[in-house]
Amino acid sequence: MNTDEKDEKKFVHENGTTYFSKKTERQILFVLTSGMLLWGIVEGITGYLN
């Protein structure tokens, strides 16, 4: 395993800006997208039942 991969942080805060690693950004976007999908399914089901 490369030492750069071990030292990579999930996010870095510099000069008032937070930077995410690509892996962390993908994980965050996956969770948000999954949440929106579930929310849409719930709203669709409740709208259909009413």
Side-chain angles (χ1 to χ4, degrees):
M1 185 176 220
N2 194 350
T3 58
D4 292 336
E5 292 176 14
K6 286 182 183 178
D7 294 338
E8 183 178 329
K9 295 182 180 180
K10 293 187 180 210
F11 62 92
V12 178
H13 188 74
E14 292 179 355
N15 299 326
T17 305
T18 303
Y19 299 97
F20 294 98
S21 69
K22 275 189 174 184
K23 183 177 180 182
T24 303
E25 184 178 0
R26 287 180 183 154
Q27 289 173 341
I28 291 170
L29 290 176
F30 176 77
V31 169
L32 291 175
T33 303
S34 299
M36 290 296 292
L37 178 63
L38 289 173
W39 185 10
I41 290 171
V42 169
E43 288 291 324
I45 290 172
T46 57
Y48 179 75
L49 296 176
N50 288 335

